[in-house]
Amino acid sequence: MKGFWRDAVEFFPILLNGVALTIIVTIGSLLLSTVLGLVWAMMRVSGIKALSMLSASLINVIRGIPIIVLLFYLYFVMPDLGVTLSALQAAILGLGIAYSAYQAENFRAGIEAIDKGQIEAAQSIGMGWWLTMRRVVLPQAVRIVLPPYGNVMIMMLKDSSQASTITVAELALQGKLIASSTFKNTSVFTLVALMYLTMSIPLILLVRHFEKRAGKR
Amino acid sequence: MIELNDVHKSFGRVEVLKGITASVEKGEVVCIIGPSGSGKSTILRCINGLESYDRGEISVEGLKVDRDAPSIVNIRTQVSMVFQRFNLFPHRTALENVVEGPLYVKKESRAQAFDRGRALLAQVGLAEKADAHPPQLSGGQQQRVAIARALAMQPKAILFDEPTSALDPELVGDVLGVMRKLADDGMTMVVVTHEMGFARDVADRVLFIDGGVIVEQGPARALLNQPQHPRTQDFLRRVLHPL
């Protein structure tokens, strides 16, 4: 135990560099997946058949490819096609695209949960599709969507470790590098696990808060 | 101002409207009565394009109702609707519900929209509930907010789709009172209702619909007191003397 604390003091600052990258990857891919997920969901509920089918197929293709393969593709294959991405860019793009499929399904479920009467009421005062979405449907869907959205945030935080496979020195890779050069596997990986947990706890509390609020009405 | 000419409408293989021809004049109050499933609500919903119709033509002030044409927005701002289940926006206050259309569809100034919104809430007897959210209001209060929301569009006519059917009996009177005042002020109204007392006292004309056709129509008092058609007689007997 004493050894662990000594190791912790020694490795913590190096691991913090990894934490910074973990947070950057998580936030970056969260934003990207949210925007893309919203676009897919809107296409899905647009009522325009071509858009809805395009979005459904996109979602299925994305869902059917493992994240790690998507990352390899972006990082190792894209340069052959003339598009060179930094490891960090590829990580954010890959995770963002991968998660956009889940976000889209989540958003769609939220939108479709809104009572049809709400849409009719909006139409009956002359609102068009977009205004109905913006003023009536989406503000109500947010309440429904937030708890699962929080869960996605937690999953993304942990899945950001997959960026390590394309050389992004985030927390997991940083830990692996230290462990393989010091052989202090127990200390290092315990520390890494605790650091992920520490970042997850605020998110877990946030989800609980969302769930309470959604349950109110 | 509202004309229906031989309107047909099917849901799948079920034909719910089998050639409806009717008109509503400016300032007129027309009640539509009939058994459930007879197509009463569908007529209303076709008039403001919430439903499409298959054949025939509906027009409002000479403008053809086509729910896929851009002109439908124009028609909907002229013909408001009040729903059976109120359909207020639960995430907005009573006042915000009322000003939503004027602000975002008609692009009125905030000051003007909110001033008129408050006046309309006062008109339906809910001035003190302006900041309440719909879930905090009783059914009767919600329906009166919904009427204020419809009025806020300054419509030429209002369609009421069974406005009191979802209300507890003791709350029906408040809503009917507001509607009666509107009628007295000369608002053009088409009301699908089971409230025969309201139809008799307030409506100018009553249409009795059964099986997707207008079985009988005429001045409210005459039709309700001396129905001519046996189906009308039978329906009224069962509504007025259920036991």
Side-chain angles (χ1 to χ4, degrees):
Chain A
M1 197 63 196
K2 222 175 149 196
F4 173 74
W5 287 117
R6 205 176 329 110
D7 292 343
V9 171
E10 189 186 343
F11 301 141
F12 189 72
I14 312 173
L15 289 175
L16 268 187
N17 294 331
V19 167
L21 269 173
T22 290
I23 290 174
I24 291 171
V25 170
T26 305
I27 291 178
S29 48
L30 184 69
L31 291 178
L32 182 62
S33 69
T34 303
V35 172
L36 286 180
L38 257 178
V39 172
W40 306 152
M42 293 306 229
M43 285 164 68
R44 200 69 202 274
V45 301
S46 64
I48 299 167
K49 215 165 174 198
L51 283 182
S52 153
M53 274 171 59
L54 177 65
S55 149
S57 345
L58 265 170
I59 288 170
N60 282 330
V61 168
I62 295 169
R63 269 202 298 209
I65 300 174
I67 294 178
I68 202 169
V69 177
L70 204 57
L71 292 175
F72 287 165
Y73 212 89
L74 286 170
Y75 191 56
F76 298 118
V77 179
M78 292 305 269
D80 292 347
L81 305 173
V83 183
T84 308
L85 297 168
S86 75
L88 184 62
Q89 288 168 341
I92 289 173
L93 197 59
L95 284 163
I97 291 172
Y99 267 92
S100 71
Y102 304 106
Q103 300 276 36
E105 291 297 277
N106 179 21
F107 295 156
R108 179 171 71 106
I111 290 168
E112 286 178 349
I114 302 304
D115 180 29
K116 242 186 82 203
Q118 289 290 308
I119 295 163
E120 292 185 346
Q123 289 177 337
S124 78
I125 54 173
M127 288 189 173
W129 186 85
W130 174 240
L131 203 54
T132 302
M133 276 290 155
R134 188 165 68 85
R135 296 291 306 170
V136 177
V137 176
L138 293 182
Q140 295 186 67
V142 165
R143 273 175 178 282
I144 302 169
V145 161
L146 271 183
Y149 187 80
N151 282 321
V152 166
M153 284 164 72
I154 296 169
M155 280 158 59
M156 292 194 86
L157 173 69
K158 295 183 295 176
D159 270 346
S160 67
S161 59
Q162 301 211 41
S164 63
T165 57
I166 53 168
T167 77
V168 177
E170 44 64 71
L171 183 52
L173 183 56
Q174 207 62 271
K176 198 177 139 206
L177 293 174
I178 300 172
S180 56
S181 61
T182 63
F183 301 108
K184 289 185 171 161
N185 287 312
T186 314
S187 298
V188 172
F189 287 122
T190 306
L191 205 52
V192 167
L194 285 174
M195 288 170 93
Y196 272 115
L197 194 60
T198 310
M199 289 189 279
S200 301
I201 285 169
L203 296 178
I204 291 168
L205 293 177
L206 191 65
V207 171
R208 205 195 300 173
H209 170 72
F210 287 156
E211 277 169 351
K212 258 197 215 143
R213 231 183 45 168
K216 251 195 218 154
R217 261 185 214 162
Chain B
M1 65 174 294
I2 301 171
E3 308 275 346
L4 295 93
N5 190 6
D6 195 30
V7 174
H8 291 253
K9 161 83 184 167
S10 299
F11 288 114
R13 289 207 317 226
V14 184
E15 193 173 25
V16 285
L17 301 183
K18 300 173 183 167
I20 300 285
T21 300
S23 66
V24 179
E25 301 305 320
K26 191 173 177 325
E28 205 179 17
V29 177
V30 174
C31 279
I32 303 179
I33 62 171
S36 48
S38 57
K40 314 182 291 289
S41 292
T42 308
I43 295 177
L44 284 197
R45 296 165 57 82
C46 284
I47 293 175
N48 72 346
L50 288 182
E51 299 281 358
S52 60
Y53 50 98
D54 306 328
R55 263 196 299 140
E57 182 164 308
I58 303 176
S59 65
V60 173
E61 298 254 75
L63 191 61
K64 183 178 185 235
V65 177
D66 176 357
R67 76 194 296 263
D68 297 320
S71 62
I72 193 67
V73 170
N74 198 347
I75 285 166
R76 284 172 179 160
T77 54
Q78 294 182 45
V79 184
S80 290
M81 188 161 199
V82 172
F83 298 88
Q84 183 178 357
R85 307 212 63 89
F86 331 132
N87 297 350
L88 291 179
F89 306 131
H91 56 304
R92 307 201 185 283
T93 65
L95 183 58
E96 286 168 347
N97 265 277
V98 174
V99 300
E100 187 73 14
L103 273 183
Y104 291 91
V105 178
K106 298 185 110 179
K107 309 252 195 281
E108 288 178 17
S109 75
R110 291 187 76 80
Q112 190 192 344
F114 276 94
D115 280 352
R116 211 177 61 245
R118 283 198 193 86
L120 285 169
L121 282 179
Q123 188 186 329
V124 298
L126 291 173
E128 76 286 5
K129 297 288 185 188
D131 296 323
H133 279 84
Q136 301 163 326
L137 299 174
S138 74
Q141 290 171 334
Q142 288 191 51
Q143 194 60 299
R144 285 185 280 153
V145 174
I147 293 173
R149 177 174 69 180
L151 286 169
M153 297 304 288
Q154 298 180 304
K156 293 181 175 153
I158 304 184
L159 312 173
F160 293 84
D161 189 4
E162 302 199 30
T164 57
S165 296
L167 297 179
D168 291 335
E170 79 272 19
L171 302 176
V172 168
D174 290 343
V175 171
L176 291 182
V178 168
M179 290 169 61
R180 176 193 282 265
K181 253 195 286 171
L182 282 182
D184 291 344
D185 292 345
M187 175 60 75
T188 309
M189 296 160 64
V190 185
V191 186
V192 169
T193 187
H194 294 291
E195 298 290 337
M196 296 306 150
F198 177 84
R200 185 168 47 229
D201 295 345
V202 180
D204 298 304
R205 246 175 344 119
V206 170
L207 310 183
F208 172 66
I209 308 239
D210 191 10
V213 295
I214 298 175
V215 175
E216 186 172 348
Q217 60 175 307
R221 225 163 259 277
L223 186 139
L224 293 168
N225 291 337
Q226 286 108 31
Q228 301 301 308
H229 198 285
R231 264 150 83 193
T232 322
Q233 291 165 357
D234 184 49
F235 172 77
L236 286 173
R237 193 163 45 240
R238 276 185 291 149
V239 171
L240 298 172
H241 310 287
L243 289 181

